[in-house]
Protein backbone atom coordinates (compact mmCIF):
# COMPACT_ATOMS: atom_id res chain seq x y z
CA UNK A 1 0.00 0.00 0.00
CA UNK A 2 2.82 2.39 0.84
CA UNK A 3 4.45 1.67 -2.53
CA UNK A 4 1.22 2.56 -4.34
CA UNK A 5 0.88 5.77 -2.34
CA UNK A 6 4.45 6.87 -2.99
CA UNK A 7 4.48 6.01 -6.68
CA UNK A 8 1.02 7.51 -7.28
CA UNK A 9 1.93 10.74 -5.52
CA UNK A 10 5.20 11.16 -7.40
CA UNK A 11 3.50 10.19 -10.68
CA UNK A 12 0.74 12.73 -10.18
CA UNK A 13 2.97 15.61 -9.09
CA UNK A 14 5.63 15.05 -11.76
CA UNK A 15 2.97 14.40 -14.41
CA UNK A 16 1.26 17.71 -13.69
CA UNK A 17 4.63 19.49 -13.77
CA UNK A 18 5.57 17.84 -17.09
CA UNK A 19 2.24 18.91 -18.64
CA UNK A 20 2.69 22.48 -17.37
CA UNK A 21 6.25 22.61 -18.75
CA UNK A 22 5.05 21.17 -22.09
CA UNK A 23 2.46 23.92 -22.58
CA UNK A 24 4.58 26.72 -21.13
CA UNK A 25 7.68 25.71 -23.11
CA UNK A 26 7.46 28.70 -25.51
CA UNK A 27 7.29 31.10 -22.56
CA UNK A 28 10.05 29.33 -20.65
CA UNK A 29 12.21 29.31 -23.77
CA UNK A 30 11.73 33.08 -24.01
CA UNK A 31 13.02 33.46 -20.44
CA UNK A 32 16.17 31.48 -21.19
CA UNK A 33 18.61 33.53 -23.23
CA UNK A 34 20.79 30.56 -24.24
CA UNK A 35 18.03 28.30 -25.58
CA UNK A 36 15.87 29.14 -28.57
CA UNK A 37 14.41 25.67 -29.19
CA UNK A 38 11.03 24.92 -27.59
CA UNK A 39 11.70 21.19 -27.90
CA UNK A 40 14.71 21.40 -25.59
CA UNK A 41 12.43 22.69 -22.82
CA UNK A 42 9.73 20.11 -23.60
CA UNK A 43 12.18 17.23 -23.58
CA UNK A 44 13.64 18.55 -20.32
CA UNK A 45 10.12 18.58 -18.81
CA UNK A 46 9.45 15.00 -19.91
CA UNK A 47 12.91 14.00 -18.71
CA UNK A 48 12.22 15.52 -15.32
CA UNK A 49 9.09 13.36 -15.18
CA UNK A 50 11.03 10.21 -16.09
CA UNK A 51 13.92 10.82 -13.72
CA UNK A 52 11.66 11.87 -10.84
CA UNK A 53 9.65 8.65 -11.16
CA UNK A 54 12.72 6.45 -11.65
CA UNK A 55 14.24 7.46 -8.33
CA UNK A 56 11.43 6.15 -6.07
CA UNK A 57 11.12 3.02 -8.21
CA UNK A 58 14.79 2.24 -7.60
CA UNK A 59 14.51 3.24 -3.93
CA UNK A 60 11.73 0.70 -3.47
CA UNK A 61 13.97 -1.98 -5.00
CA UNK A 62 16.67 -1.11 -2.46
CA UNK A 63 14.14 -1.13 0.39
CA UNK A 64 13.04 -4.63 -0.62
CA UNK A 65 16.68 -5.67 -0.97
CA UNK A 66 16.03 -6.69 -4.59
CA UNK A 67 19.70 -6.37 -5.51
CA UNK A 68 19.55 -8.20 -8.82
CA UNK A 69 16.78 -6.02 -10.27
CA UNK A 70 18.34 -2.86 -8.86
CA UNK A 71 21.71 -3.74 -10.37
CA UNK A 72 20.16 -4.60 -13.74
CA UNK A 73 18.21 -1.34 -13.79
CA UNK A 74 21.20 0.78 -12.75
CA UNK A 75 23.73 -0.77 -15.12
CA UNK A 76 21.24 -0.82 -17.99
CA UNK A 77 20.44 2.85 -17.37
CA UNK A 78 24.12 3.82 -17.50
CA UNK A 79 24.88 1.77 -20.61
CA UNK A 80 21.77 2.94 -22.45
CA UNK A 81 22.46 6.56 -21.48
CA UNK A 82 26.01 6.40 -22.82
CA UNK A 83 25.02 4.67 -26.08
CA UNK A 84 22.06 6.97 -26.79
CA UNK A 85 23.96 10.12 -25.89
CA UNK A 86 26.98 9.22 -28.02
CA UNK A 87 24.77 8.29 -30.97
CA UNK A 88 22.58 11.38 -30.76
CA UNK A 89 25.28 13.93 -29.97
CA UNK A 90 28.32 12.66 -31.84
CA UNK A 91 26.90 10.58 -34.69
CA UNK A 92 23.66 12.43 -35.46
CA UNK A 93 24.88 15.89 -34.28
CA UNK A 94 21.76 16.69 -32.25
CA UNK A 95 23.56 18.86 -29.70
CA UNK A 96 21.70 19.76 -26.50
CA UNK A 97 18.51 18.07 -27.63
CA UNK A 98 20.44 14.85 -28.31
CA UNK A 99 22.06 15.03 -24.90
CA UNK A 100 18.70 15.46 -23.15
CA UNK A 101 17.02 12.70 -25.16
CA UNK A 102 19.97 10.36 -24.56
CA UNK A 103 20.06 11.04 -20.85
CA UNK A 104 16.35 11.18 -20.06
CA UNK A 105 15.31 8.72 -22.78
CA UNK A 106 17.38 5.99 -21.14
CA UNK A 107 15.80 6.80 -17.77
CA UNK A 108 12.34 6.65 -19.37
CA UNK A 109 13.04 3.22 -20.91
CA UNK A 110 14.25 1.81 -17.58
CA UNK A 111 11.31 3.42 -15.78
CA UNK A 112 8.83 1.79 -18.16
CA UNK A 113 10.55 -1.57 -17.66
CA UNK A 114 10.40 -1.20 -13.84
CA UNK A 115 6.75 -0.12 -13.97
CA UNK A 116 5.88 -3.14 -16.13
CA UNK A 117 7.80 -5.44 -13.79
CA UNK A 118 6.23 -3.94 -10.67
CA UNK A 119 2.67 -3.68 -12.03
CA UNK A 120 1.43 -6.76 -10.13
CA UNK A 121 2.79 -5.27 -6.87
CA UNK A 122 1.28 -1.88 -7.66
CA UNK A 123 -2.12 -3.46 -8.33
CA UNK A 124 -1.91 -5.44 -5.08
CA UNK A 125 -1.78 -8.86 -6.77
CA UNK A 126 1.68 -9.72 -5.45
CA UNK A 127 3.04 -8.81 -2.03
CA UNK A 128 6.72 -7.90 -1.82
CA UNK A 129 7.91 -6.76 1.56
CA UNK A 130 10.90 -4.57 2.40
CA UNK A 131 13.99 -6.33 3.66
CA UNK A 132 13.92 -6.91 7.39
CA UNK A 133 16.61 -4.85 9.06
CA UNK A 134 17.02 -4.46 12.79
CA UNK A 135 16.57 -0.70 13.43
CA UNK A 136 18.97 -0.94 16.40
CA UNK A 137 21.87 -1.90 14.17
CA UNK A 138 23.67 0.06 11.54
CA UNK A 139 23.54 -1.28 8.01
CA UNK A 140 27.24 -2.16 8.13
CA UNK A 141 26.79 -4.22 11.30
CA UNK A 142 23.72 -5.99 9.89
CA UNK A 143 25.60 -6.85 6.69
CA UNK A 144 28.66 -8.06 8.59
CA UNK A 145 26.53 -10.29 10.82
CA UNK A 146 24.69 -11.78 7.88
CA UNK A 147 27.97 -12.43 6.04
CA UNK A 148 29.92 -13.94 8.94
CA UNK A 149 27.42 -14.88 11.64
CA UNK A 150 26.17 -12.91 14.62
CA UNK A 151 28.85 -11.62 16.94
CA UNK A 152 31.74 -13.35 15.12
CA UNK A 153 33.08 -10.35 13.23
CA UNK A 154 34.97 -7.38 14.74
CA UNK A 155 32.72 -4.97 12.84
CA UNK A 156 29.68 -6.59 14.46
CA UNK A 157 31.21 -5.98 17.92
CA UNK A 158 32.02 -2.32 17.22
CA UNK A 159 29.56 0.33 18.36
CA UNK A 160 27.35 1.73 15.62
CA UNK A 161 27.60 5.33 14.41
CA UNK A 162 24.53 6.50 16.36
CA UNK A 163 25.97 5.42 19.73
CA UNK A 164 29.34 6.96 18.93
CA UNK A 165 27.76 10.25 17.89
CA UNK A 166 25.40 10.30 20.88
CA UNK A 167 28.32 10.20 23.30
CA UNK A 168 30.05 13.01 21.47
CA UNK A 169 33.74 13.68 21.23
CA UNK A 170 35.54 13.59 24.57
CA UNK A 171 38.67 15.70 24.95
CA UNK A 172 41.03 14.82 27.77
Amino acid sequence: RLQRTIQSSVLLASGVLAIVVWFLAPTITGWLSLIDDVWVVRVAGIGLFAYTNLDPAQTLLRARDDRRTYLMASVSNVLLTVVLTVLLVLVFDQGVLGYLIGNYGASAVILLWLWFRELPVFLGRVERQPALVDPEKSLVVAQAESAVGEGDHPVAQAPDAASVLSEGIKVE
Side-chain angles (χ1 to χ4, degrees), residues 45-87:
I46 294 169
L48 182 63
F49 169 83
Y51 188 76
T52 302
N53 283 281
L54 181 61
D55 189 56
Q58 288 184 314
T59 300
L60 288 167
L61 292 174
R62 288 191 306 266
R64 282 201 322 256
D65 202 25
D66 192 349
R67 295 175 187 167
R68 179 173 294 152
T69 306
Y70 177 76
L71 182 65
M72 284 184 353
S74 298
V75 171
S76 299
N77 193 11
V78 169
L79 293 174
L80 193 55
T81 298
V82 170
V83 169
L84 283 175
T85 304
V86 167
L87 280 173

Side-chain angles (χ1 to χ4, degrees), residues 6 10 21 27 29 35 41 59 66 70-72 81 85 121 128 136 153 156 160-161:
I6 291 169
V10 172
V21 168
T27 306
T29 303
I35 299 172
V41 175
T59 300
D66 192 349
Y70 177 76
L71 182 65
M72 284 184 353
T81 298
T85 304
V121 177
R128 291 189 182 137
E136 298 298 318
H153 196 276
D160 64 5

Side-chain angles (χ1 to χ4, degrees), residues 1 16 20 31 37 44 67 71 77 81 108 117-118 120 126-127 135 142-143 166:
R1 199 173 100 180
V16 167
V20 168
W31 294 338
D37 187 0
R67 295 175 187 167
L71 182 65
N77 193 11
T81 298
R117 184 185 181 282
E118 296 295 314
V126 174
E127 189 72 27
Q143 288 174 343
S166 67

Side-chain angles (χ1 to χ4, degrees), residues 1-5 7-8 64 115-129:
R1 199 173 100 180
L2 179 61
Q3 180 178 357
R4 284 191 297 265
T5 303
Q7 286 184 313
S8 298
R64 282 201 322 256
W115 277 352
F116 178 75
R117 184 185 181 282
E118 296 295 314
L119 188 60
V121 177
F122 186 77
L123 296 175
R125 295 182 185 152
V126 174
E127 189 72 27
R128 291 189 182 137
Q129 294 295 325

